[in-house]
Amino acid sequence: MQIYTELNKNPDLSLALGFFDGVHLGHKAVIQSAVKFAKEHGKKSAVITFSDHPCCYFWGVCPKYILTCKEREKRIAELGVDYLYELDFESISGLTAQDYLKDILINYFIPVSISTGWNHNFGCKKSGNVKFLHENSKKFDYEYFELPPQKLDNEIISSTTIRKLLAEGKIEKANDMLGYKFSISGIVVKGNQIGRTIGFKTANIVYPSELIELPYGVYSVNTNYGAGIANFGVRPTINGSHAVLEVHILGFDKDIYGEEIEIEFNKMLRHEKKFLSLDELKNQIQRDISMI
């Protein structure tokens, strides 16, 4: 997949439009629609999105994301997309829906098809929507696909809902809506090394500031080094002052400082708490591991 941060002439594409934070099951349906049409008609597919969420421009505060930019790119590429355009939202924010369709989408891409979600809006003051794209499809000679909402247990799958679930520690349901396990990657850094003194050596990483923050607590996880148990929090038992994500990998005893680790979250086991001693903490960790 080729990634562009600026517009260029690239005609006859099958387009998928949206921000696609999370690339969840609803987003996958939209992207796969564009990829499928492209393959069936001997064309190329492209996702048109933005480097930052439009809220960053309108409200001056970015939402906490489900995926880092790098992970979003990876998951979009896995769906078979040929081109990814990550545009600067501010540069086109003043365009009306008509101007965005005509001067951007049609002028640069001459799309053979456009796929969006059922609630897609675009253009200044959200002047464009699915009805607008339907109405202009014949005029500009493109097929339009409006993907219906994807649901889980009769609840519409959305990035907003998934963020809420993650923030509440409801990992399993969030994972079901994502279609994969929420994960965090980072470089292993040195901690205070207290874990190894009680028999539970940990790999520590800095929690990415741009991602939705999980509740402080203990989690069942998988890593690229094996299954494990992770703690995210301030570690009140040792009077920690800042939040750290640390994972104890079961049956693993190698030093991996400076290496990248990916931590996939299975479920939340309990909230973080302060113990009266390290022995009490050690006993609780053993009980936590037995719950995996």
Side-chain angles (χ1 to χ4, degrees):
M1 182 179 75
Q2 292 181 266
I3 300 174
Y4 297 104
T5 57
E6 294 182 353
L7 292 164
N8 55 32
K9 294 282 186 177
N10 196 353
D12 296 326
L13 297 183
S14 177
L15 305 179
L17 311 182
F19 185 68
F20 303 120
D21 176 32
V23 195
H24 55 61
L25 292 179
H27 293 155
K28 286 181 181 178
V30 174
I31 296 171
Q32 288 170 335
S33 167
V35 172
K36 181 175 182 288
F37 188 89
K39 289 182 177 178
E40 289 175 346
H41 294 81
K43 304 295 184 180
K44 298 287 188 179
S45 59
V47 166
I48 312 299
T49 187
F50 303 105
S51 54
D52 288 306
H53 197 285
C55 286
C56 303
Y57 172 76
F58 288 121
W59 308 111
V61 178
C62 293
K64 291 292 186 176
Y65 297 130
I66 299 167
L67 292 173
T68 62
C69 181
K70 179 181 176 181
E71 284 296 318
R72 182 177 68 157
E73 291 170 353
K74 176 185 173 183
R75 293 199 175 274
I76 290 174
E78 289 172 348
L79 296 176
V81 174
D82 296 299
Y83 306 106
L84 173 62
Y85 285 83
E86 295 177 315
L87 305 178
D88 173 31
F89 179 77
E90 186 174 0
S91 66
I92 56 92
S93 60
L95 296 178
T96 64
Q98 184 67 40
D99 288 342
Y100 180 69
L101 176 61
K102 181 174 178 292
D103 297 340
I104 303 297
L105 300 184
I106 303 301
N107 180 44
Y108 285 95
F109 306 116
I110 316 177
V112 292
S113 75
I114 296 176
S115 296
T116 76
W118 58 282
N119 59 348
H120 185 71
N121 291 287
F122 63 98
C124 184
K125 297 181 180 179
K126 296 184 178 181
S127 52
N129 51 29
V130 296
K131 181 181 178 182
F132 179 86
L133 288 170
H134 273 297
E135 291 174 343
N136 281 277
S137 61
K138 289 185 179 179
K139 177 181 177 181
F140 292 111
D141 193 27
Y142 61 81
E143 294 281 342
Y144 176 59
F145 300 99
E146 174 193 342
L147 277 298
Q150 305 298 302
K151 296 183 179 181
L152 177 69
D153 299 330
N154 292 318
E155 186 175 7
I156 293 175
I157 295 172
S158 71
S159 296
T160 299
T161 298
I162 293 170
R163 288 190 193 100
K164 184 174 184 293
L165 289 169
L166 291 172
E168 293 173 351
K170 297 175 181 177
I171 307 298
E172 292 166 291
K173 187 171 182 180
N175 287 347
D176 287 342
M177 287 192 167
L178 286 168
Y180 60 87
K181 293 179 180 179
F182 175 73
S183 66
I184 293 175
S185 298
I187 301 300
V188 177
V189 298
K190 283 198 173 185
N192 51 30
Q193 300 186 328
I194 289 179
R196 68 181 61 204
T197 68
I198 58 174
F200 298 104
K201 185 177 180 180
T202 62
N204 296 12
I205 68 170
V206 177
Y207 199 105
S209 60
E210 70 268 33
L211 293 188
I212 186 76
E213 192 169 282
L214 298 177
Y216 289 171
V218 177
Y219 297 84
S220 165
V221 301
N222 295 325
T223 78
N224 48 319
Y225 295 98
I229 187 167
N231 184 84
F232 175 56
V234 295
R235 301 158 298 162
T237 303
I238 62 169
N239 299 314
S241 60
H242 61 280
V244 172
L245 175 59
E246 51 187 354
V247 57
H248 171 66
I249 306 166
L250 304 181
F252 185 83
D253 194 37
K254 295 180 180 179
D255 282 333
I256 51 174
Y257 296 123
E259 301 294 323
E260 183 170 29
I261 187 171
E262 180 180 9
I263 304 170
E264 292 183 338
F265 291 81
N266 299 319
K267 63 180 179 179
M268 186 177 187
L269 301 177
R270 63 174 174 83
H271 288 281
E272 185 177 53
K273 62 175 289 187
K274 183 172 183 176
F275 296 94
L276 297 177
S277 68
L278 288 179
D279 281 340
E280 188 178 343
L281 171 60
K282 178 180 178 179
N283 292 334
Q284 180 60 57
I285 294 174
Q286 290 173 332
R287 288 192 291 270
D288 293 337
I289 291 174
S290 71
M291 296 173 62
I292 296 178

